[in-house]
Amino acid sequence: MQQKPTDTIKIVLPSSGARPTLGGVLRQYELVDRVLSYDPNADEALLNRAYVFSMQAHGSQKRASGDPYFSHPIEVAGILTDLRLDDETIATAILHDTIEDTVATPEEITRLFGPSVARLVDGVTKLSKIEAQTENERAAENLRKFLLAMSDDIRVLLVKLADRLHNMRTLHFISKPEKRRRIARETMDIYAPLAERIGMYEFMKEMQTLAFAQLEPEAYESITRRLEQLKDGGDDRIEKIGSSLKMLLSRHGIEAEVNGREKHPYSIWKKTNERHISFEQLSDIMAFRAIVPDEEACYAALGAIHRRWPMVPGRFKDYISTPKRNGYRSLHTSVIHAENRRIEIQIRTPDMHEEAELGLAAHWAYKQANAHPEAQVSWIRDLVEILDNAESPEELLEHTRMAMYQDRIFAFTPKGELHQLPKGATPIDFAYAVHTDLGDQAVGAKVNGRVVPLRTIIANGDQVQILRSKAQHPQASWMNFAITGKARAAIRRFLRQTEREETHALGRKLYDEVVSRLPAPLGAEAIKVALTRLKLADEAALMEAIARRRITDAEVMEALMPGSVQASGQQQAPAQTKAISIRGLTPGVAYDLAECCHPVPGDRIVGLRRPDQGIEVHVIECPVLATADDADWVDLAWGDKTEGGTARIAVGVKNEPGSLGTIATIIGGQKANIVNMRLDNRDTGFHTNTFDVEVHDTQHLMRLIAALRAADAVSGVERI
């Protein structure tokens, strides 16, 4: 695409789509003239071809409103001309429904309009014809393909948002309430947050207002009625406050354009719900914007305002020195104005205002059509990484909404690099935000120079240094405090991969043990024939099915060597004859150390294998085994590389100062580690405490118990 001129044009966003039309449709010459008005070098022939092709392709199709379907893509194109987007994007908007809703083909679009437009049209296609079993699967699949296309060219998102905005403007024509609510909910959950994340706040506000009217009609009517009553009552507070603000800045030699507005209904409703107050109690329903010549004037204006009116504590935000992740820059403050009324004020330069109005679209205007705003769309790459790691539709939607929704904080690396994170984020979230490998190898963190656990919540402005080790790997327990979609997706990916590997290894050991019970050696092709009989794709599928007891030992034996079970003279497969050696177990993965008996290396252990579950490892004396009628028993032995386990002990402690300290000292002196403690019984003279302690093996545990029993503060110790 050729570089476009760099003329600067004043941008005025119109209200909800008021523009000259004929019969409700923006005419061909009018649309082309709108593009040429800001881009004289636009490809006029491309726009004319797209207009005629779309009109002919949609033919007599009608929308729910009764208007020609053709009016929708033209209105979408008109919305994008308000954003001064390049000719390819406008052509894409005109054509965006042709592949899905008409007989037009991708090859035809490529031939007539070029590969770039064809790629954009394909990315914007709604994909509603995808067959899926559930709404979540359909939504996730649509979102998956949409995000992949969006990561290739962000203009896909701009067209899609304009498409959704026009659909929301005409949503009231759809007769079925449940369909209107479904579309409104999808808009509120996905498209409005997407618009907010790329700084297109006007799109976000209008989408939220229109969706709010469908999802909470009574609340919407109540709030809009109250706002109308304020206007009808001759209340000109906005004009008065705006004038006083402009006069204040003028007295300080600051030239400013000041305008005010009431906050939109959804924003008001959200505040009343979050603060549990009524509309009458809500004081900050008015917001004002002061546009000043330069950055220096922004801070001068802020100082003048704070000297004149008291600032509301905690409501000042400096998005100029630390811009939002979407590139938004401005100063925000709230002050107590006359009559004890709180007002919100935003202070910015004209350039900041243009970017705030258009967001990411400002970078795709015709004058910078080849400039990819990489700094603003790094979060899209995070979403695509989440795509790669998500296994289920629910997981994809959960992580994506997480990545789009949450309020942000700022944290710094030791080198001063800024990273934005959601509120409540921990060092493990920070580590994955910096790099996936750093997250995988994190063992601890320093926050403002102080060593802290990975579960520590990061505060705004903290400096975070991640401590790493190549021997470390993601832990299942991290899922309890990781909150970003990227971190949770990466942890789940590792756990799934580890589970697959361990499940396959366990299945192989069980398979070898089953083969050892066959009456004769296996032939070279036996396993291939067995896979066919069992209707399994490959050996990996067979090993997983064995480990998860999706097939029984008898079925495996019969598939490998028909008649082998009957030849043994039994109706069932012969009993297991040798122990299966396993290496160090990873709780929560392919096998679990049972919580009821807490086995540690050195214990005689047995496994319970239930359908579609990992093996549950118990001590041979565990009473649970007597009631496990629905499980196969697997004779297990500890592997040579076992790294230890967690034992549970009950300790009788004297009720006197220093007793718990003595016990902790003894446990530490024995090189054991307390991972959990609770008080079970409280008597006058003695307490009973339960400790979960990490030990190497049973001998280590016995030494620890002996040391505890020898202490004066201890009345008795028992292993649970």
Side-chain angles (χ1 to χ4, degrees):
M1 186 189 302
Q2 66 179 8
Q3 184 68 31
K4 301 294 195 297
T6 56
D7 305 60
T8 302
I9 296 177
K10 175 71 173 176
I11 297 177
V12 179
L13 287 178
S15 59
S16 300
R19 53 175 64 91
T21 62
L22 178 64
V25 181
L26 194 65
R27 290 189 261 187
Q28 181 176 344
Y29 78 88
E30 293 170 337
L31 178 63
V32 174
D33 284 348
R34 286 174 67 90
V35 178
L36 293 176
S37 69
Y38 61 78
D39 182 7
N41 291 339
D43 189 341
E44 187 175 349
L46 172 69
L47 299 173
N48 283 321
R49 288 200 310 275
Y51 193 104
V52 173
F53 181 88
S54 180
M55 183 171 61
Q56 292 176 343
H58 287 291
S60 59
Q61 292 175 349
K62 299 284 186 182
R63 287 174 60 80
S65 62
D67 293 333
Y69 191 93
F70 167 68
S71 65
H72 167 66
I74 297 305
E75 285 299 301
V76 172
I79 291 171
L80 294 176
T81 62
D82 295 337
L83 305 180
R84 303 175 316 169
L85 294 185
D86 62 282
D87 46 20
E88 286 188 348
T89 310
I90 303 302
T92 299
I94 299 171
L95 300 167
H96 78 271
D97 276 340
T98 53
I99 293 178
E100 179 191 356
D101 294 332
T102 77
V103 296
T105 64
E107 294 75 19
E108 193 174 7
I109 299 296
T110 303
R111 177 172 55 82
L112 292 173
F113 305 101
S116 180
V117 171
R119 187 186 71 251
L120 291 171
V121 171
D122 183 61
V124 181
T125 299
K126 295 175 186 172
L127 307 171
S128 60
K129 295 182 181 178
I130 294 175
E131 294 184 2
Q133 296 178 347
T134 67
E135 274 303 318
N136 267 355
E137 288 179 0
R138 178 181 289 107
E141 186 61 22
N142 286 351
L143 187 58
R144 181 189 303 273
K145 294 193 175 183
F146 175 50
L147 290 175
L148 288 173
M150 184 174 72
S151 68
D152 181 54
D153 194 325
I154 196 64
R155 290 177 294 177
V156 169
L157 174 57
L158 303 180
V159 178
K160 188 68 175 178
L161 290 176
D163 171 51
R164 178 51 61 115
L165 178 59
H166 185 256
N167 281 333
M168 289 302 297
R169 288 174 179 174
T170 57
L171 185 62
H172 58 282
F173 288 112
I174 295 177
S175 58
K176 295 182 178 179
E178 62 275 12
K179 185 176 181 181
R180 293 199 304 270
R181 291 182 61 83
R182 177 180 61 78
I183 295 172
R185 174 51 57 195
E186 186 179 56
T187 300
M188 192 72 87
D189 284 351
I190 295 177
Y191 292 100
L194 275 170
E196 188 272 336
R197 285 301 303 273
I198 63 172
M200 299 179 69
Y201 291 102
E202 296 305 316
F203 273 46
M204 177 199 73
K205 291 172 187 174
E206 187 173 352
M207 284 183 188
Q208 286 178 340
T209 299
L210 294 169
F212 177 51
Q214 295 294 332
L215 297 172
E216 300 287 345
E218 292 182 2
Y220 174 81
E221 288 294 334
S222 174
I223 292 173
T224 52
R225 187 169 57 252
R226 297 290 182 86
L227 293 175
E228 287 299 324
Q229 287 172 354
L230 291 178
K231 295 176 184 177
D232 293 343
D235 195 335
D236 57 352
R237 285 175 300 173
I238 291 180
E239 185 178 343
K240 289 179 180 178
I241 294 173
S243 297
S244 68
L245 182 57
K246 185 176 179 67
M247 289 175 60
L248 171 70
L249 297 179
S250 179
R251 285 200 302 269
H252 285 80
I254 303 170
E255 181 183 346
E257 176 188 336
V258 177
N259 52 68
R261 59 173 176 80
E262 292 160 338
K263 294 185 176 179
H264 64 291
Y266 175 71
S267 174
I268 294 173
W269 179 80
K270 191 176 178 182
K271 286 180 183 294
T272 58
N273 276 272
E274 288 175 349
R275 301 179 190 177
H276 304 289
I277 58 178
S278 66
F279 180 90
E280 288 76 16
Q281 293 172 299
L282 188 65
S283 56
D284 54 345
I285 63 172
M286 292 180 290
F288 294 85
R289 184 177 299 132
I291 301 175
V292 298
D294 52 40
E295 192 172 305
E296 184 178 347
C298 290
Y299 290 99
L302 178 70
I305 291 169
H306 282 182
R307 284 194 297 270
R308 175 63 181 84
W309 297 297
M311 183 191 78
V312 179
R315 298 292 294 170
F316 170 63
K317 296 288 192 306
D318 186 347
Y319 294 122
I320 294 179
S321 64
T322 52
K324 287 188 177 182
R325 198 175 185 184
N326 56 28
Y328 174 86
R329 295 178 300 151
S330 186
L331 296 178
H332 286 202
T333 188
S334 291
V335 298
I336 308 296
H337 197 265
E339 301 176 8
N340 208 31
R341 185 173 300 279
R342 291 204 317 182
I343 61 170
E344 180 184 303
I345 304 172
Q346 301 168 0
I347 309 168
R348 59 179 70 145
T349 68
D351 287 344
M352 295 176 193
H353 180 61
E354 178 179 341
E355 191 156 326
E357 292 290 290
L358 301 182
L360 189 88
H363 293 264
W364 274 106
Y366 78 96
K367 61 182 179 182
Q368 301 179 42
N370 286 327
H372 289 257
E374 291 295 329
Q376 287 200 335
V377 295
S378 61
W379 61 276
I380 295 176
R381 288 191 291 273
D382 290 349
L383 292 183
V384 173
E385 187 171 338
I386 290 170
L387 278 180
D388 296 336
N389 296 335
E391 190 169 67
S392 67
E394 291 77 11
E395 186 179 324
L396 172 61
L397 292 172
E398 170 202 349
H399 289 334
T400 305
R401 286 168 182 165
M402 241 190 270
M404 292 190 298
Y405 259 137
Q406 301 178 356
D407 292 336
R408 317 302 289 182
I409 63 167
F410 299 93
F412 299 86
T413 68
K415 294 182 179 180
E417 296 174 358
L418 178 67
H419 290 273
Q420 293 190 47
L421 296 165
K423 286 183 179 177
T426 61
I428 201 65
D429 298 304
F430 183 89
Y432 278 107
V434 175
H435 197 281
T436 301
D437 290 343
L438 182 62
D440 288 346
Q441 298 174 6
V443 293
K446 286 185 178 180
V447 174
N448 302 325
R450 184 170 59 90
V451 176
V452 299
L454 289 174
R455 64 173 59 249
T456 305
I457 294 177
I458 299 172
N460 199 27
D462 279 348
Q463 183 189 81
V464 182
Q465 177 184 353
I466 301 299
L467 309 177
R468 67 193 298 182
S469 168
K470 291 184 178 179
Q472 177 66 299
H473 54 73
Q475 305 293 311
S477 60
W478 291 358
M479 293 296 290
N480 296 327
F481 50 83
I483 70 167
T484 62
K486 184 177 182 181
R488 293 177 68 84
I491 296 165
R492 278 181 173 159
R493 177 194 59 198
F494 177 85
L495 295 179
R496 280 196 299 266
Q497 179 62 28
T498 303
E499 181 175 10
R500 279 192 289 267
E501 292 172 358
E502 294 191 359
T503 300
H504 186 272
L506 175 63
R508 175 64 67 178
K509 291 178 183 293
L510 292 168
Y511 169 80
D512 291 341
E513 206 282 330
V514 168
V515 170
S516 71
R517 291 185 254 157
L518 293 172
L522 281 179
E525 299 295 316
I527 192 167
K528 291 183 180 179
V529 176
L531 290 172
T532 302
R533 289 172 178 155
L534 294 170
K535 298 180 180 178
L536 294 171
D538 50 31
E539 285 191 36
L542 173 62
M543 302 313 158
E544 182 177 353
I546 293 172
R548 295 190 175 279
R549 200 191 165 204
R550 292 173 185 159
I551 52 177
T552 65
D553 291 355
E555 290 171 331
V556 176
M557 293 178 70
E558 283 297 303
L560 291 168
M561 188 175 293
S564 57
V565 174
Q566 289 79 359
S568 67
Q570 302 181 40
Q571 293 300 314
Q572 300 296 326
Q576 184 182 350
T577 57
K578 63 179 182 180
I580 303 297
S581 177
I582 54 177
R583 62 181 176 83
L585 302 182
T586 306
V589 189
Y591 357 79
D592 292 311
L593 296 172
E595 292 287 333
C596 50
C597 53
H598 291 273
V600 296
D603 286 327
R604 180 75 176 86
I605 53 176
V606 67
L608 294 181
R609 185 163 58 117
R610 294 184 173 90
D612 266 329
Q613 295 183 22
I615 284 185
E616 198 173 84
V617 182
H618 293 261
V619 176
I620 193 66
E621 296 89 1
C622 181
V624 169
L625 299 176
T627 60
D629 299 329
D630 61 334
D632 287 341
W633 284 35
V634 181
D635 193 14
L636 300 178
W638 296 99
D640 295 335
K641 297 181 180 179
T642 302
E643 299 174 353
T646 301
R648 178 167 290 175
I649 55 176
V651 183
V653 186
K654 289 183 179 179
N655 184 14
E656 58 185 31
S659 293
L660 281 180
T662 300
I663 292 171
T665 300
I666 293 171
I667 293 174
Q670 291 294 319
K671 307 300 183 186
N673 182 45
I674 300 173
V675 294
N676 190 35
M677 182 193 78
R678 74 168 184 262
L679 176 64
D680 287 333
N681 294 304
R682 183 193 299 269
D683 295 328
T684 303
F686 294 91
H687 295 168
T688 300
N689 293 76
T690 299
F691 293 87
D692 291 343
V693 289
E694 291 178 339
V695 294
H696 300 305
D697 51 30
T698 51
Q699 292 183 355
H700 186 195
L701 177 61
M702 290 303 104
R703 290 196 302 271
L704 172 62
I705 290 175
L708 288 169
R709 285 173 175 166
D712 290 338
V714 175
S715 63
V717 184
E718 297 292 337
R719 182 182 178 188
I720 299 176

